[in-house]
Structure formats: C-alpha cells, structure tokens
Amino acid sequence: NEIKTIDIQKYINKLSSRLSPKTIKNYMILINGAFKQATNENLIDFNPCINVSIPKPQKPNMIALNRFEVDLFLTINKDSPYIDIFTFAINTGMRISEICGLTKDCINFDNGLIEVKQQLVRLKGKCILDKPKTNQSVRMIPINNKTYEILKKYYTESEDDFIFHNPNTNRTLYQNTLSRNARNCFDKCYQITKKEVYSLANFHSFRHTFATLWIVQGGNLTLLSKILGHTDTSFTTRVYVQPSYDDLKNAMSNLVF
C-alpha cells in the first residue's frame, strides 16, 4: 500500500526519456497485472496503476517523392543491383512482402496483368508464401511498359519460380535485405542532395510515391484504390496520397480565372 499512483506515473515518465511508447506499454501491462493480482488476493487495497498515463505511439511519417525526386533517386542509384526492383515498386505500388513473394505464375504477359495473390512472410523463423495482407489485397495490377521490361528480364533469368532474387547471392530475396538496401540508397541521395525527404524515406515510400503521382497526374481515385488493394477510397487519400508543395503550387498555377 506504500506505492501510490503518482509513484507509478513518475516511473513511467522516467522510462519515457529512453524507451519507446510500445516498450513502455509492455512494461505497464506487466506492472498492472502484478498489482491487479495483488488486489484480487487482498494483499493491497487498491491498484496504483489505475489512472496512470502512458505515452501514445507517434504515427510514422508517410513519405512520398515527387517526380523530380524520383528521377534523381533513380539516377544517383543507377548502379545499384537493386535499382530494377526499386523501379518496379515505384511503377506498381506493390508492398515489399508482395514483391518478395512474386512468382512466375502471377505474371500474365498476354493480358498485361500481375496477379497479387501471395506475400513472402517470416513465420516461426521460416519464410513462407502466405495469403496477402487482406482479402482486398488479392488484386490485378496492369503492367506498364517499364514494368514489362523488368518482368521480362527477370522472368527469363530466374532459375526457379520466384521473379526477384537477392542479386548478390541469387537466392531468396527477403524483406529485410530489400528494405536495408533501399535505406542505403536513400541515404546516398541525402548525402549528395541534402534533401530532407531522402533522410525520411524507406522502401514503403515507393508505394506512397506511386499513389501520389497517380493522383497528381490525374489518375482515377477508385482505380488507384483497387490497384493498391484498398476498399475505402478515403483511406487511400488520407494515408497514401501526399502531394508535395511543388505539386500543389503547380496545381494552383493552373487554376486561373
């Protein structure tokens, strides 16, 4: 009974200076569980964890590149062995797990379509092909000219069912490998240009970039939602479409009365 709510709050506040909100939440679950059990067994009169505030996790920055930043990224990293995969991601808006899990039977060159029906995920220490993130994630993505070139090249060169492989080992391409190399390429861009967008971007930014450029170039929102695997167009615009200030300025310059 000597431990009060304010004592728990002070402890949580102290943790906030060095631990993430998610870690603090896990700590709090354990602490609360212990005091709750003590209360149930009448060892203490009340649970001091009640009314303790814990920090809320911040939403990650959703970064999208504009057309100039995309061209600059591709130019600076043109010698990266992953550049074709980055280009593919920008041109399809596919998730990193879907790209890693893309197999030959997903490609229909005659109809010009990619069938997204699986993703490569890690489960109990092993990587397996699993169902996509949601039912809506099962979808068809049209193949544009650039995507066609990339798919034809890698489809022909592949010696197994997967389209893309680790270019250094020619083995399975894992998400962490692809993500790390994307981050390295963004860092290289930042070191050269000092543009903040590159310091904040990650592999998922390719998906946001695809969505934003689609809308900026006048693409249909409903079709975009279908390509991304969303059912709610408002979610697509709220989360995935982030036009830059340059895009907004260009749009305003065209709005002349």
Side-chain angles (χ1 to χ4, degrees), residues 67 210-220 247:
R67 190 58 190 249
F210 170 83
T212 299
L213 293 181
W214 175 285
I215 293 298
V216 167
Q217 293 173 184
N220 181 279
D247 293 329

Side-chain angles (χ1 to χ4, degrees), residues 96-132:
I96 188 171
S97 59
E98 296 168 344
I99 292 174
C100 291
L102 193 63
T103 51
K104 291 180 178 179
D105 62 324
C106 297
I107 312 302
N108 189 323
F109 288 111
D110 292 334
N111 293 331
L113 293 171
I114 300 169
E115 181 184 6
V116 181
K117 61 179 182 178
Q118 61 201 20
Q119 60 177 339
L120 188 69
V121 297
R122 186 174 292 278
L123 185 64
K124 296 181 179 179
K126 295 182 179 180
C127 282
I128 63 168
L129 286 175
D130 197 9
K131 295 179 181 178

Side-chain angles (χ1 to χ4, degrees), residues 5 8-9 11-12 15 21-35 47-55:
T5 298
I8 302 294
Q9 187 65 65
Y11 175 67
I12 293 298
L15 292 179
K22 182 179 180 181
T23 301
I24 293 174
K25 181 180 180 181
N26 292 337
Y27 273 48
M28 195 61 193
I29 290 173
L30 293 174
I31 296 170
N32 181 59
F35 279 110
N47 183 348
C49 294
I50 296 176
N51 296 325
V52 170
S53 299
I54 61 175

Side-chain angles (χ1 to χ4, degrees), residues 37-71:
Q37 184 63 31
T39 304
N40 292 339
E41 296 179 8
N42 296 318
L43 298 177
I44 57 177
D45 296 331
F46 71 102
N47 183 348
C49 294
I50 296 176
N51 296 325
V52 170
S53 299
I54 61 175
K56 294 181 179 180
Q58 294 182 341
K59 293 183 178 180
N61 291 324
M62 301 301 180
I63 302 299
L65 310 183
N66 62 31
R67 190 58 190 249
F68 172 77
E69 291 161 347
V70 169
D71 291 340

Side-chain angles (χ1 to χ4, degrees), residues 231-245:
T231 55
D232 185 358
T233 55
S234 64
F235 175 80
T236 303
T237 53
R238 185 176 69 254
V239 177
Y240 278 86
V241 179
Q242 294 101 24
S244 68
Y245 285 115

